[in-house]
Amino acid sequence: MTVRKLLFPFGIALLALGLSACDTGRKAPPKTEVRVLNAVPRYASLDYRRAESTLTTIDFKVGNVFTYDEDTYKFNVETADPLTGAPQRILSFEQKVLAGTTYTVVIYDAGDTIDRVVLEAPTVARTAPDMQVQAVHVAKNLPPVDFYLTPPGTDLLATAPLGTIGFLQQVAPRNLPAGPYEITVTAAGDPSNVLLKSSVFTLDAGRSISFSIAPDAGSSNQPFSVVAFGDVSNPFFNINAPSSLRVINASADQAPRDVAIGSQFSPPQFPAVPFPTATPYGNIPAGVDLKINVTPPGNPGTLEVDTNLTFAPTSLYTMIVGGNPGTLSYMMLLDDNRRYTQYGTLRFFSGATQIPAILFYLVPPGGDVELAIPLASIAAPGGSDQFPVPPGTYELWLKGLDPLVVVAGPIPITINAGGVYGVLATNNASGVSADVTLLDDFQ
């Protein structure tokens, strides 16, 4: 056996040993946390991803937490084309992330575009005895405000705010004791002018929380709310704000109706609501048990609806009233009147008691309704969800559920991006078809 043949296996062993030693000494890059919050009300949701990695869909006022290796990355924000579903990239940016720092990326509405603001804070150990907070203002149309984060019952007149911040300005990270807190937002320099007061919540030690003053833009009756974002996101609204209610009169006799709130009949909150119309929104007390009554105009002794309801602060509601005289019924619907960049929104209502349930269809002009799938099936009095509809011209058709025959249509309608629309079906004098009233931005 030659010397070469004797040394060859030994050389292989040395090589393997060397590779093993190198592999053992390799260390993974240090990691850091990146939080991404969607504060853009005019998109139903945003798709976020690092470079070309898998998309994560983030809804409005919702945040997601990601862990990345220390490095410089390109981040992309996309949305889907409303007609084709193809991805549309609407924001790209680079960000260097370092271990020992927690990053909160807030995607905000800059007007014609969207953009991001990045909050940076030292990473907090889970074993830390206190907690860390910071804040940013991303509500474009809201003037500068004072932001307070205080224990419940604190006298704001004797307390300095956490910071005074205008659009895109930040409150730098600071440590606070763990415990119960409440948020108060006031006009800058005027603690007596409270714009938002939150419910009481607990902040735990060893946590880092970012607060974003974000626009509501039609999702409530308030101009803004505050989103707290740590391990999860949590929006806080103004607990002292009223609710907002509007009424649609779809009664079978087509007569006007009074709608009284809190047993206030003279005058009622909504006097002599005409058929078939929707009133403007009116503010009503929130968070309390309210008596709701519907009566013939000026006749509080005849209670056609007599019920008790509790409404949430800042929320928008539509009450559709229908049925036969003397025995009216109602349905209460929660509204979200954001105006989307890519879509209009459309809600269907029915007060057509002569037709047990109505199917609502949208088809392209000249399209075959027999091949279409209904968007909603509604029994009177009732309403559907608010559907996102791509901009365009459509034909509206209504069918009875039993039998499945056309009861109205085709009715040409146009949906514009950013529009909020309603369609109301009511009894037709024939007894077998339906009348259609176009509401909201159709008018």
Side-chain angles (χ1 to χ4, degrees), residues 334-338 345-347 384-388 420-421:
L334 187 64
D335 298 337
D336 183 347
N337 292 334
R338 284 181 288 162
T345 56
L346 179 60
R347 171 172 271 169
S384 70
D385 293 334
Q386 291 173 283
F387 296 101
V420 177
Y421 302 94

Side-chain angles (χ1 to χ4, degrees), residues 214-230:
D216 273 10
S219 63
S220 79
N221 63 16
Q222 298 294 293
F224 73 97
S225 55
V226 176
V227 183
F229 189 15

